[in-house]
Amino acid sequence: MLQRTIIDFHTHPWLPEHLARPTVDFIRSISLALREHGERLSDPVYAAGVLRVQGVEHAVVLPEHCPRSSGNVRTETVIEFCAASDGFFLPFASVDPNTDPDPAGMMRRYVASGVVGLKLYPSYQHYYPNDRRVYPIYEVCCDAGIPVLFHIGSSVIPNTRMKYCDPVHLHDIAVDFPDLVVVMAHGGRGWWYDACAFLAGHQPNFHIDVTGLVPSRLPELFPDLERLSHKIVFGSDWPAMPKSPRANADAIDAIEGLSLDAVQRILYDNAAALLRLDGRAAPAPPPIVDGGH
Ligand SMILES: [Zn+2]
């Protein structure tokens, strides 16, 4: 099997001093990379090297400003981490509408500092994505043309409130911000695979990131995987994962019945377009379901 180049749309920096204790304990309990490389992963140059040898060309790095639950890895920290990686790591922002006094203003400043997307954690930060308080943040992302990645699915993090990431609340965003690029991290893990597949299938700017899902189970979780492959990006949660990004990418490559073009879209092309790595705007995907009102 040809080793395909990967863009990893979903990694976290290993900065344990910024994470809540249960988050650190959980990551230590499952992370293969930490067992292999230990605290050297906190060095962005070393971390980039570990991923490069696995065929990863770029990786999105997510801050985690969730003072009520998982931790407080601030956007400034992630921008600094990425800046030291010679362009390998791409920074997203994280703002908390509940504890930041002016999250939209913050987001504007982060965009000016070079972030290429925003991660929101409704179930860790405790608000509904269609809460009108969040709308000014979406306006900033729309104007900047950058994606918003939502944590959508189950989690082991204490003080998680699952109701906030029910994907039905994302539908308002599709209606009110048709140009906003939305990525549903974890594809609704646990409860909402069908809802996420429906949204990604029907809303031109909605996508799924398969982070945290067992790759060989994807055809079972998303029965229309081949057609949905236009809307799926690869992510790993690295280093918080029991395998390596390479192993997960190869497992997607090995899915029976999935075309080589679909694999290429999932592992690389879709993310490159969303992140505008090729200098172009994201192409309009083909419709998945025809007609109907
Ligand atoms: Zn994650």
Side-chain angles (χ1 to χ4, degrees), residues 10-12 62 64 119 121 124 151 185-186 211 236-238 240:
H10 190 136
T11 74
H12 296 272
L62 304 171
E64 195 156 352
K119 173 84 183 279
Y121 299 79
Y124 293 7
H151 177 105
H186 315 296
T211 298
S236 70
D237 247 343
W238 187 86

Side-chain angles (χ1 to χ4, degrees), residues 92-160:
F92 269 38
S94 172
V95 297
D96 178 9
N98 278 320
T99 59
D100 290 326
D102 176 21
M106 272 174 97
M107 191 57 210
R108 218 171 285 118
R109 289 191 292 279
Y110 290 146
V111 169
S113 303
V115 300
V116 295
L118 168 67
K119 173 84 183 279
L120 290 175
Y121 299 79
S123 53
Y124 293 7
Q125 296 170 322
H126 306 165
Y127 54 85
Y128 290 102
N130 58 353
D131 185 323
R132 291 304 186 268
R133 290 177 304 142
V134 193
Y135 274 30
I137 305 173
Y138 300 143
E139 278 164 23
V140 175
C141 294
C142 256
D143 289 349
I146 60 175
V148 181
L149 176 65
F150 289 93
H151 177 105
I152 300 292
S154 64
S155 169
V156 298
I157 300 298
N159 211 18
T160 287

Side-chain angles (χ1 to χ4, degrees), residues 3-9 51 54-59 88 234-235 245-250 266-268:
Q3 176 169 296
R4 291 169 184 281
T5 305
I6 306 166
I7 296 172
D8 192 330
F9 205 83
L51 291 174
Q54 297 183 38
V56 180
E57 185 177 283
H58 287 290
F88 179 84
F234 176 80
R246 179 78 259 156
N248 277 14
D250 287 347
I266 293 171
L267 296 185
Y268 189 93

